[in-house]
Amino acid sequence: MKRHIVYSGIIAMLTYCLWGCEEEKTLQYVNNPAINFTGGTGLFSFIATPDLADTVLTVGLEIMGYAADVDREVNVEVLQDSTTAIDYELLTPTIIEKGKYTGQVKVRVKNTPLLKEKEVRLWLVLKESDDFSVGVSGMNQSILKWSNRLIQPANWRWLRYYFGTYSTRFYEFIIEVTGRTEFPYNHPDASLEPMGVDEVEAWANMVRDALDEYNATHDDVLRHDDGDAKGQPVVIPVSYTHLTLP
């Protein structure tokens, strides 16, 4: 009987402590909501839409805490010392709408002649506002990069297993063969329709066949024009579907 009373007391104390901690955590989120970027570096090129005068790029935001019954404003600033872009407009205010946990920073960027020569970047940083404190360290900054040239896709770390080493000339060749500028396999941009393994492998096989034909009908093989493999022949990894049984 005494043991039962002791156990009941311990359980009651633990329940009280857990309830108290949860209440404290809830009050902390309610009283001090924070904001983070959901993306590190965003890349965009006007290469597929050369006649487009401008476009709006976005960076995702996510709150730490609870949704509110009013709109809340996020303070976003440009880190000027690390920014090389000139022709852009940070569209303000940046709002987390009532009832929402996510939002977007929007930036209008112009397609200028300079973008044919080099890539520019805009370095964004979150600052404390009346509605939000700054969230997790390392998630309070984000970089947007854009140009009117080919940019190595953000997911090439995955595509390289199917296409091989990246270079500007090789990616031009891929676009010429496939008619595509994006292969959203393990792509960080959630707005793109995901591509599965079978599909990306099929595109790689198409490019490999076209590369074989190119090399057979030209005086020199297709070579990388820049990057780590500059001057070397383009080589596409052999896939299982292209292996020939003895």
Side-chain angles (χ1 to χ4, degrees):
M1 181 68 177
K2 186 180 296 184
R3 182 180 298 176
H4 175 72
I5 294 174
V6 171
Y7 285 163
S8 299
I10 292 174
I11 292 172
M13 289 177 62
L14 287 174
T15 303
Y16 177 79
C17 289
L18 289 172
W19 175 83
C21 291
E22 187 63 30
E23 184 182 37
E24 182 180 352
K25 182 179 179 182
T26 299
L27 289 173
Q28 179 182 1
Y29 279 141
V30 170
N31 295 331
N32 191 28
I35 192 78
N36 293 318
F37 282 121
T38 59
T41 301
L43 305 173
F44 176 78
S45 176
F46 284 99
I47 193 72
T49 53
D51 296 328
L52 194 64
D54 58 59
T55 192
V56 174
L57 305 182
T58 62
V59 183
L61 294 168
E62 186 172 35
I63 68 171
M64 295 175 62
Y66 296 93
D69 58 1
V70 294
D71 290 349
R72 292 179 288 180
E73 189 167 341
V74 180
N75 186 8
V76 184
E77 296 183 2
V78 175
L79 199 60
Q80 296 291 352
D81 292 345
S82 301
T83 292
T84 60
I86 300 174
D87 297 293
Y88 68 88
E89 178 188 2
L90 182 60
L91 302 180
T92 56
T94 299
I95 298 294
I96 300 294
E97 297 178 352
K98 64 178 181 179
K100 301 290 187 180
Y101 291 87
T102 59
Q104 291 181 327
V105 178
K106 297 181 180 181
V107 181
R108 185 180 304 280
V109 301
K110 295 182 180 180
N111 186 3
T112 64
L114 176 67
L115 299 181
K116 292 183 178 181
E117 303 174 12
K118 66 177 184 178
E119 175 185 279
V120 298
R121 69 174 177 269
L122 176 65
W123 201 303
L124 301 172
V125 59
L126 293 171
K127 296 290 186 178
E128 187 171 339
S129 70
D130 292 339
D131 296 312
F132 294 104
S133 62
V134 178
V136 178
S137 176
M139 298 179 67
N140 65 329
Q141 297 186 19
S142 186
I143 305 170
L144 287 174
K145 297 180 180 180
W146 64 93
S147 75
N148 199 355
R149 306 188 307 168
L150 284 180
I151 298 175
Q152 179 173 316
N155 61 331
W156 194 265
R157 58 175 294 195
W158 302 105
L159 294 178
R160 64 188 177 92
Y161 293 111
Y162 300 92
F163 292 99
T165 303
Y166 178 88
S167 68
T168 301
R169 178 65 190 101
F170 180 37
Y171 204 56
E172 287 175 346
F173 182 78
I174 291 173
I175 294 172
E176 292 167 6
V177 172
T178 65
R180 297 184 64 105
T181 58
E182 291 285 357
F183 298 85
Y185 171 68
N186 282 339
H187 201 287
D189 187 348
S191 67
L192 299 175
E193 183 177 352
M195 181 178 289
V197 172
D198 291 343
E199 189 175 358
V200 70
E201 190 171 70
W203 287 113
N205 290 340
M206 176 190 290
V207 175
R208 184 184 295 102
D209 292 340
L211 179 63
D212 290 341
E213 181 179 351
Y214 178 96
N215 290 340
T217 56
H218 287 75
D219 294 335
D220 192 15
V221 298
L222 185 69
R223 296 180 182 275
H224 294 290
D225 64 333
D226 54 20
D228 296 338
K230 182 177 180 179
Q232 299 178 21
V234 172
V235 177
I236 299 177
V238 177
S239 69
Y240 290 111
T241 58
H242 256 58
L243 290 176
T244 303
L245 296 176

